[in-house]
């Protein structure tokens, strides 16, 4: 693998926002997720649970409910009182309609996805009709006192059950009247505390399932107004509830971070009578689980500890394999760190500000595993706060470190950074050309002379950077057959000749920068691209897909390279394909043209194309065993994948120069200590 | 004895019939026969007595009240400036008085706005200097905000957020600090470790300061020694 001096960076203070809402797309295989800071993300199940779309948040936007409706449209509503439709092609909030009832606590779409019901702060349930281009207010249902905290449609669309404080109501949709009102805290002696119904579900058999703040999951018969079953699962509140499509399984999430599964099981073997039984307890989270969803094969939960946990159900899986494994996602599937190699600078992207740091330096040398003393500490040079309430989409720093750019939903900023001795000055570049905002990805060329801006509808803008501090629009590339989706990944060749761009439709287009023409398109693959890079010497495009496949495409020859064909023929190692997180960054070593450096959240790998590929019987992570072997034995067991798992969780890894690496880690404990307070766990003997 | 005689004499002067006031003789005898007219007269005189007493009481109160009012009027007059000065002030700039009234008005509105500011979200603020054009006004600790920016929506949203906060993190929810929560694992592990404690920068302030002072002194002596 070689000897490297590693700059181990742990001062990136990223704290991901907690998960607030989850919504499974019916019959689509996608999951929409909303965070507490207003960001909305879409995960694609088929593409190995890749986070394919991210809409950054907004200071004033709080999302309390998310709904998929007919035509794969995504709607969100929150405490701001607006119903917002999210444009998933342009990755922004498309338009919003004021609900008219104050803050909106809950929203639900009916079975056919044509009507939206919202539960408001003033106690009213309002119905909206979904029309092409937006939504239209239809009517109000009967309004009573008490905020409506949760809503559920009956699968047939005739009734709506709504949970409020101390009471649960059932409305008849046609007449709009309240047909049943059930007091929820009737049996509790502790009448001083009010019983909040946090979530509700309406089953087609006429049973209403509620979860409340006393830690109970209760099943009601709405017509008679009686309690059928009551299960106390926790001493703290049960915050969320989701029912499977077949209505035989329910998942509930509690404030302590535990999730439970309820299943409808026959009382005796073969008997027709069925009862709800609490079957599986899970403790995947440390903080409140405020969102749960039930897909056809998995239980999905998202907590305020920023984790998304997908637990496939074994009884639904055909075979035991990697499909049935527990998946936990805490970090985004994109790069949040940019590195200026020559200037040894790192740019950290937070949701509302950027930080520019200079790495420290050391004089000492040492052996493998030693920690060298620092001669100069890493310095925090610049902190740039983004103006306005919008969160940052993307940011980048040029390789020489003198240009900095970032984009929010409606603003694009370019800065010139000057270093005079010990001081740093940042000056905004005025008169930036007007582009269609937002920019989804920014990339500087290797000579810091141009800036590439990824935009909507598959287009990429080329801006020329002028000294001493100016910018000019040179050209806009568009894919030959237009594309409705936005470009989310860019790669530039070191000689400034080629540009590769990937859009939301997963098609990779390569453009010629010398004559400003489209060069070719990489053959489409059935999975999303997670990382892209162009080799400085051979101009080969290395592509990493979300199903952990690796391809190498030769740009001048417009075809896959021989090495890539060999990899596809032999197949990648099973352990490599069963990794949990996607590769987010690919880079190269200019001194060693056959090396490819990649990393994901849990490993860093140097891929040596000149060595043979491992087959499934060989050990993939064999670096530690190789170290102990004598030289001759080592030669026999060497293979192309040299993996290091010492630095975890890894947010970014890059090669600074010949034998210097930088690794940006984010220990999970550092995140957990900055989250909101968890519920106390009493353990015997402590 | 003397008092009783005086009372009897006084009673005698008023003149109720002696028959009514005569002390009762022995209990065996029947009550005395009194004629109707005599009784009527007795009742009338009695009524007149009571009425006179009440009238006198009322007069006394009225007199007291009148005296108190006069006293207050006197005190008020003493507090105000002499007549001449007041007249002068009343005549002098009426424009000044209007500006004062307008300022008082704006002050009231500002007070209301400031109260709403506390409840609403962060809003744009009009600079204090912009308003200083018209009329002299005293320097005060206030914040000028645009009422247009304060909206009812912000207030509703804040109430909703407060409700959510109290329900999830308020009293009775059994929340615990992060270090206590994560120390549990350290305590229950097979290899027991210390509890998680967050470093507080204020620990050992005195020791740190003393060390710094010592370092300065020591460096100074070193420099002096090497200099010499």
């Amino acid at each position: 693998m070689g000897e490297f001096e590693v700059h181990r960076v742990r001062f990136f203070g990223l704290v991901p926002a907690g998960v607030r809402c989850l919504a499974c797309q019916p019959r689509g295989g996608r999951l929409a997720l909303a965070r507490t800071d207003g960001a909305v993300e879409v995960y694609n199940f088929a593409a190995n649970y890749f986070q394919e779309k991210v809409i950054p948040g907004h200071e004033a936007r709080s999302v309390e409910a998310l709904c998929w409706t007919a035509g794969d449209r995504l709607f969100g509503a929150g405490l701001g009182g607006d119903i917002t439709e999210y444009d998933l092609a342009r990755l922004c909030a498309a338009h919003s309609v004021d609900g008219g009832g104050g803050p909106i606590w809950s929203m639900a779409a009916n079975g056919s996805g044509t009507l939206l019901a919202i539960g408001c702060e003033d106690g009213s349930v309002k119905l909206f009709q979904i029309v092409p281009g937006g939504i239209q207010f239809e009517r109000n249902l009967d309004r009573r006192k008490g905020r409506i905290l949760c809503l559920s449609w009956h699968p047939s669309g005739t009734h709506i059950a709504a949970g409020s404080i101390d009471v649960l109501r059932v409305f008849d949709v046609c007449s709009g009247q309240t047909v049943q009102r059930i007091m929820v805290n009737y049996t509790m002696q502790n009448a001083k505390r009010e019983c909040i119904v946090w979530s509700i579900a309406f089953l087609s058999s006429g049973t209403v399932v509620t979860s409340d703040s006393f830690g109970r999951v209760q099943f009601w018969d709405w017509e008679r107004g009686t309690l059928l079953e009551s299960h106390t699962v926790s001493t703290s509140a049960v915050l969320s509830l989701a029912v499977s499509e077949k209505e035989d399984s329910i998942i509930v999430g509690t404030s302590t971070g535990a999730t439970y599964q309820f299943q409808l099981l026959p009382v005796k073997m073969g008997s027709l009578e069925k009862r709800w039984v609490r079957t599986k307890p899970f403790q995947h989270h440390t903080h409140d689980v405020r969102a749960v969803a039930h897909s056809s094969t998995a239980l999905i939960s998202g907590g305020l500890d920023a984790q998304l946990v997908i637990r496939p159900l074994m009884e639904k899986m055909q075979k035991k394999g990697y499909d049935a494994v527990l998946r936990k996602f805490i970090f985004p599937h994109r790069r949040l760190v940019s590195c200026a190699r020559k200037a040894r600078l790192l740019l950290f992207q937070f949701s509302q500000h950027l930080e520019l740091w200079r790495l420290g330096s050391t004089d000492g040398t040492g052996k493998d595993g030693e920690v060298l003393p620092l001669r100069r500490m890493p310095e925090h040079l610049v902190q740039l706060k983004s103006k306005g309430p919008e969160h940052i989409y993307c940011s980048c720093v040029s390789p020489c470190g003198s240009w900095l750019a970032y984009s929010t939903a409606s603003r694009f900023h370019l800065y010139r950074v000057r270093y005079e001795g010990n001081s740093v000055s940042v000056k905004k570049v005025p008169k930036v050309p007007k582009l269609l905002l937002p920019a989804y990805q920014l990339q500087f060329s290797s000579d810091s002379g141009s800036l590439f801006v990824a935009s909507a509808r598959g287009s990429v803008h080329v801006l020329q950077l002028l000294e001493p501090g100016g910018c000019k629009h040179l050209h806009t590339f568009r894919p030959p057959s237009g594309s409705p989706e936005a470009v989310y990944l860019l790669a530039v060749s070191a000689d400034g000749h080629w540009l590769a761009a990937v859009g939301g439709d997963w098609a990779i287009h390569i453009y010629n920068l010398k004559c400003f023409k489209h060069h070719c398109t990489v053959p489409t693959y059935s999975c999303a691209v997670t990382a892209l890079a162009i080799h400085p010497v051979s101009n080969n495009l290395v592509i990493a897909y979300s199903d952990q496949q690796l391809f190498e495409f030769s740009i001048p020859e417009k075809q896959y390279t021989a090495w890539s064909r060999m990899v596809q023929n032999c197949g990648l190692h099973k352990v490599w394909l069963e990794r949990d997180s996607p590769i987010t960054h690919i880079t190269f070593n200019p001194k060693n043209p056959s090396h490819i450096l990649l990393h994901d959240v849990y490993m860093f790998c140097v891929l040596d194309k000149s060595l043979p590929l491992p087959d499934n019987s060989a050990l993939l992570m064999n670096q530690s065993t190789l170290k102990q072997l004598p030289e001759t034995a080592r030669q026999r067991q060497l293979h192309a994948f040299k993996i290091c798992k010492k630095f975890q969780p890894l947010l970014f890894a890059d090669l600074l120069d010949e034998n210097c690496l930088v690794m940006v880690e984010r220990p999970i404990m550092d995140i957990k200590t900055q989250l909101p307070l968890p519920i106390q766990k009493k353990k015997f003997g402590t | 004895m003397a008092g009783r005689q005086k009372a009897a004499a006084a009673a005698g002067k008023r003149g109720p019939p002696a028959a009514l006031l005569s002390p009762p003789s022995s209990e065996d005898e029947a009550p005395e026969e009194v004629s109707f007219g005599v009784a009527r007269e007795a009742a009338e005189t009695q009524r007149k007595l009571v009425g006179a007493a009440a009238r006198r009481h009322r007069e006394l109160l009225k007199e007291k009240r009148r005296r108190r009012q006069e006293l207050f009027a006197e005190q008020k007059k003493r507090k105000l400036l002499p007549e001449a000065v007041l007249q002068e002030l009343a005549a002098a700039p009426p424009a000044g008085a209007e500006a004062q009234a307008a300022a008082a008005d704006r002050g009231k509105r500002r007070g209301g706005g400031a109260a709403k500011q506390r409840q609403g979200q962060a809003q744009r603020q009009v600079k204090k200097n912009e308003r200083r054009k018209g009329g002299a006004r005293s320097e005060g600790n206030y914040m000028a905000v645009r009422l247009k920016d304060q909206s009812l929506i912000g207030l509703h949203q804040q109430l909703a957020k407060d409700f959510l906060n109290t329900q999830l993190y308020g009293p009775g929810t059994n929340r615990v600090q992060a270090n206590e929560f994560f120390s549990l694992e350290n305590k229950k592990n097979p290899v027991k470790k210390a509890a998680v404690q967050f470093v507080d920068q204020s620990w050992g302030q005195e020791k740190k300061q003393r060390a710094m002072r010592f370092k300065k002194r020591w460096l100074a002596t070193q420099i002096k020694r090497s200099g010499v």
Side-chain angles (χ1 to χ4, degrees):
Chain A
M1 198 161 173
E3 264 206 12
F4 296 102
E5 190 184 273
V6 178
H7 289 253
R8 205 168 170 177
V9 169
R10 291 195 187 186
F11 42 79
F12 181 14
L14 174 75
V15 180
V19 176
R20 176 63 190 89
C21 312
L22 287 174
C24 272
Q25 189 188 34
R27 295 168 296 277
R30 282 184 166 81
L31 177 74
L33 184 152
R35 292 193 184 254
T36 49
D37 62 354
V40 174
E41 298 162 11
V42 176
Y43 286 79
N44 191 327
F45 288 162
N48 201 20
Y49 303 101
F50 178 60
Q51 184 189 61
E52 58 172 5
K53 292 186 209 279
V54 175
I55 302 176
H58 193 281
E59 216 175 271
R61 187 162 76 208
S62 89
V63 185
E64 294 285 318
L66 270 186
C67 271
W68 289 98
T69 58
D72 286 342
R73 293 162 73 174
L74 185 63
F75 288 89
L79 295 181
D82 295 325
I83 306 174
T84 316
E85 179 172 3
Y86 294 101
D87 187 341
L88 295 175
R90 283 187 42 229
L91 295 184
C92 58
H95 39 249
S96 55
V97 170
D98 186 21
I104 300 175
W105 287 97
S106 55
M107 185 166 72
N110 69 346
S112 53
T114 50
L115 282 177
L116 273 181
I118 59 169
C120 307
E121 169 89 355
D122 64 356
S124 60
V125 176
K126 297 179 197 285
L127 289 181
F128 283 80
Q129 212 178 31
I130 297 175
V131 294
I135 55 173
Q136 211 175 39
F137 175 73
E138 198 183 291
R139 61 195 162 99
N140 267 339
L141 297 184
D142 183 27
R143 181 184 146 193
R144 298 287 168 89
K145 200 172 120 177
R147 40 172 71 99
I148 306 275
L149 288 168
C150 48
L151 267 189
S152 174
W153 285 82
H154 188 270
S156 64
T158 50
H159 291 87
I160 294 180
S164 183
I165 303 176
D166 286 336
V167 84
L168 107 79
R169 271 185 266 269
V170 180
F171 298 90
D172 175 59
V173 175
C174 298
S175 64
Q177 296 300 317
T178 311
V179 290
Q180 182 62 272
R181 183 174 172 273
I182 305 174
M183 295 290 291
V184 173
N185 68 341
Y186 172 68
T187 50
M188 286 307 281
Q189 294 91 352
N190 193 356
K192 272 183 246 166
R193 248 175 61 191
E194 27 182 41
C195 181
I196 315 278
V197 179
W198 284 112
S199 59
I200 197 168
F202 210 148
L203 304 179
S204 45
S205 56
T207 313
V208 176
V209 191
T210 60
S211 78
D212 59 25
S213 56
F214 285 115
R216 302 176 297 180
V217 175
Q218 295 180 306
F219 296 83
W220 306 85
D221 178 341
W222 78 266
E223 276 166 341
R224 297 202 196 92
T226 53
L227 177 64
L228 295 171
E229 287 177 60
S230 173
H231 301 254
T232 307
V233 295
S234 162
T235 46
S236 53
V238 179
L239 296 173
S240 46
L241 187 132
V243 184
S244 69
E245 227 181 295
K246 292 210 192 84
E247 295 188 355
D248 57 358
S249 165
I250 296 178
I251 175 176
V252 297
T254 63
S255 224
T256 56
T259 50
Y260 299 93
Q261 187 191 12
F262 281 80
Q263 283 178 288
L264 191 61
L265 299 172
V267 175
K268 273 196 293 237
M269 276 278 284
S271 84
L272 287 171
E273 189 194 337
K274 287 195 174 170
R275 234 183 245 162
W276 287 98
V277 180
R278 200 203 79 177
T279 50
K280 301 185 194 92
F282 300 106
Q283 182 83 37
H284 297 306
H285 302 269
T286 50
H287 289 69
D288 306 41
V289 176
R290 288 207 75 190
V292 287
H294 202 307
S295 78
S296 50
T297 54
L299 302 176
I300 306 165
S301 58
L304 289 187
D305 54 0
Q307 272 183 339
L308 172 68
V309 174
I310 302 177
R311 167 83 253 176
L313 291 168
M314 295 307 290
E315 58 256 27
K316 303 274 165 53
M317 295 279 125
Q318 263 71 43
K319 53 180 169 62
K320 253 171 86 169
Y322 189 60
D323 291 329
V325 86
L326 175 75
R327 309 297 293 265
K328 274 195 188 184
F329 299 109
I330 183 166
F331 295 110
H333 290 177
R334 308 178 303 154
R335 233 177 357 126
L336 291 177
V337 180
S338 323
C339 177
R341 279 183 173 187
K342 295 179 214 145
R344 300 210 164 196
L345 298 172
L346 286 178
L347 181 71
F348 297 141
Q349 177 185 323
F350 291 85
S351 56
Q352 282 197 285
H353 69 277
L354 301 173
E355 284 182 5
L356 188 66
W357 286 75
R358 180 187 286 144
L359 290 174
S361 59
T362 179
D363 280 339
T365 47
K367 293 196 303 283
D368 178 29
E370 267 182 33
V371 177
L372 303 170
L374 283 174
R375 179 169 59 93
R376 194 182 52 171
M377 297 289 288
E379 277 175 71
H380 185 175
L381 295 175
V382 176
Q383 180 170 24
L384 216 57
K385 284 207 178 80
S386 96
K387 292 194 187 67
E390 294 160 345
H391 289 195
I392 296 177
Y393 271 74
C394 56
S395 62
C396 199
V397 68
S398 66
C400 59
S402 39
W403 299 90
L404 223 161
Y406 74 89
S407 168
T408 65
S410 57
R411 298 171 121 110
F412 171 70
H413 295 275
L414 181 62
Y415 292 88
R416 186 87 170 80
V417 186
R418 274 179 227 279
Y419 309 91
E420 286 117 19
N422 257 343
S423 69
V424 178
S425 71
V426 173
K427 196 161 161 250
K428 188 160 169 200
V429 169
K431 293 204 196 44
V432 171
K434 288 223 180 306
L435 310 162
L436 187 65
L437 287 171
Y440 305 100
Q441 182 70 286
L442 293 170
Q443 184 78 30
F444 283 93
S445 62
S446 51
D447 60 354
S448 305
S450 351
L451 171 62
F452 302 100
V453 178
S455 194
R457 274 194 266 277
S459 50
V460 181
H461 303 287
V462 181
L463 302 179
Q464 188 188 21
L465 301 171
L466 312 157
E467 294 291 339
C471 154
K472 195 175 76 156
H473 176 245
L474 270 187
H475 186 76
T476 301
F477 287 112
R478 290 206 173 80
S481 56
S483 158
E485 305 268 352
V487 175
Y488 68 93
L489 267 187
L490 288 176
V492 186
S493 66
D495 56 6
H497 203 145
W498 309 105
L499 170 72
V502 190
D505 52 359
W506 303 343
I508 310 175
H509 295 279
I510 301 178
Y511 301 98
N512 187 328
L513 289 171
K514 294 287 182 247
C515 54
F516 292 124
K517 273 212 185 56
H518 178 262
H519 180 67
C520 64
T521 309
V522 176
T524 42
Y525 186 66
S526 58
C527 227
V529 179
T530 63
L532 209 60
I534 303 184
H535 197 282
V537 174
S538 58
N539 276 337
N540 289 337
L541 178 68
V542 179
I543 312 163
Y545 286 101
S546 63
D547 59 356
Q548 317 293 10
Q549 290 291 340
L550 286 173
F551 285 83
E552 196 188 20
F553 184 83
S554 166
I555 298 179
E557 293 167 25
K558 296 190 192 176
Q559 60 177 355
Y560 288 116
T561 60
W563 181 80
S564 181
R565 285 179 219 274
M566 185 178 67
V567 166
Q568 287 309 302
N569 279 335
C570 302
L572 288 165
H573 197 280
K574 193 166 70 87
V575 175
W576 177 268
L577 293 173
E578 290 183 350
R579 282 178 303 115
D580 289 338
S581 42
I583 292 177
T584 45
H585 188 52
I586 302 176
T587 186
F588 304 96
N589 188 346
K591 296 288 161 60
N592 255 331
S594 61
H595 279 193
I596 303 176
L597 288 80
L598 351 122
H599 80 90
D600 73 3
V601 176
Y602 298 109
M603 68 100 201
F604 171 72
C605 173
V606 176
L607 193 50
D608 194 338
K609 288 195 294 183
S610 56
L611 291 174
L613 294 168
D615 59 7
N616 272 337
S617 58
L619 189 64
L620 183 68
M621 325 248 181
N622 61 354
Q623 288 297 299
S624 43
T625 45
L626 283 180
K627 264 186 244 181
Q628 294 154 11
L629 289 176
E631 188 61 38
T632 43
R634 208 184 285 178
Q635 290 300 326
R636 268 183 282 127
Q637 293 205 15
L638 270 181
H639 61 65
F641 289 82
K642 305 177 191 185
I643 297 178
C644 167
K645 292 190 75 116
K646 189 168 166 197
F647 309 103
Q648 292 182 7
L650 206 52
L651 287 179
F652 180 74
D654 202 359
L655 190 72
L656 289 175
D657 60 31
E658 202 174 297
N659 32 27
C660 204
L661 283 173
V662 63
M663 306 266 185
V664 180
E665 290 173 292
R666 184 63 178 147
I668 302 271
M669 202 56 185
D670 291 357
I671 297 178
K672 292 229 194 247
T673 52
Q674 298 192 37
L675 296 172
L677 302 179
I679 295 259
Q680 186 179 41
K681 231 184 342 193
K682 285 304 266 174
K683 277 253 157 82
F684 179 73
T686 55
Chain B
M1 279 276 279
R4 245 185 277 139
Q5 281 171 354
K6 269 201 207 149
K13 245 195 278 173
R14 303 275 165 77
L20 285 176
L21 290 181
S22 59
S25 36
S26 80
E27 279 94 53
D28 294 342
E29 287 181 17
E32 277 195 43
E33 282 245 353
V34 178
S35 70
F36 182 67
V38 166
R40 195 174 38 174
E41 279 169 36
E44 255 184 66
T45 38
Q46 194 77 330
R47 248 183 275 137
K48 271 194 210 125
L49 272 178
V50 172
R55 236 178 286 128
R56 256 177 285 128
H57 188 67
R58 262 182 268 135
E59 300 287 324
L60 197 61
L61 280 179
K62 259 198 221 163
E63 192 58 51
K64 263 200 206 163
R65 258 183 259 140
R66 217 181 298 131
R67 259 184 265 139
R68 281 183 106 205
Q69 282 299 99
E70 284 178 18
L71 178 65
F72 289 152
E74 178 86 61
Q75 285 181 339
K76 196 169 181 181
K77 242 202 291 191
R78 259 184 268 143
K79 263 199 151 181
L80 289 173
L81 297 166
E83 273 292 325
V85 184
L86 275 177
Q87 275 177 356
E88 221 183 273
L89 278 176
E98 275 168 28
Q100 289 275 346
D105 241 293
R106 258 178 278 161
K108 262 189 254 154
R109 265 191 278 129
R110 218 178 287 123
K116 277 207 170 170
Q117 170 78 355
R118 266 178 257 126
Q119 295 164 351
Q121 310 156 12
Q123 308 285 344
R124 258 175 298 150
Q125 291 173 10
V126 177
K127 275 192 131 36
K128 198 161 83 167
N129 300 322
E130 268 180 38
R131 301 285 218 114
R132 276 185 149 274
K133 285 185 216 146
R137 198 173 318 130
S138 57
E139 186 86 41
N141 232 359
Y142 61 83
M143 194 161 40
V145 296
R146 278 178 18 162
L147 276 184
K148 199 164 77 159
D149 297 332
Q150 310 292 343
S151 61
L152 220 49
I153 302 171
L155 179 60
H156 282 314
Q157 201 170 354
Q158 195 56 43
L159 285 174
K161 285 197 183 135
D162 290 341
F163 165 75
L164 200 55
N165 247 343
T166 1
Q167 288 306 321
L168 287 180
Y169 298 101
T173 41
N174 206 17
R175 298 273 167 181
V176 80
Q177 290 298 323
N179 56 346
E180 252 184 74
F181 185 77
F182 293 110
S183 303
L184 271 182
E185 281 171 44
N186 285 354
K187 289 188 197 176
K188 296 293 272 183
N189 270 344
V191 178
K192 308 254 184 290
K193 289 190 274 196
V196 175
Q197 180 64 275
F198 299 130
V199 172
D200 192 351
Q201 298 295 339
S202 66
W203 289 345
Q205 284 287 47
E206 220 194 84
K207 269 202 175 169
K208 281 186 197 160
Q209 277 167 4
R210 274 203 292 176
M212 208 157 51
R213 271 181 263 140
F214 174 78
K215 189 159 80 169
K216 270 196 228 156
R217 257 183 279 132
W218 188 83
L219 281 175
T221 54
Q222 290 298 310
I223 290 171
K224 222 193 303 181
R225 194 182 301 166
S226 63
V228 166

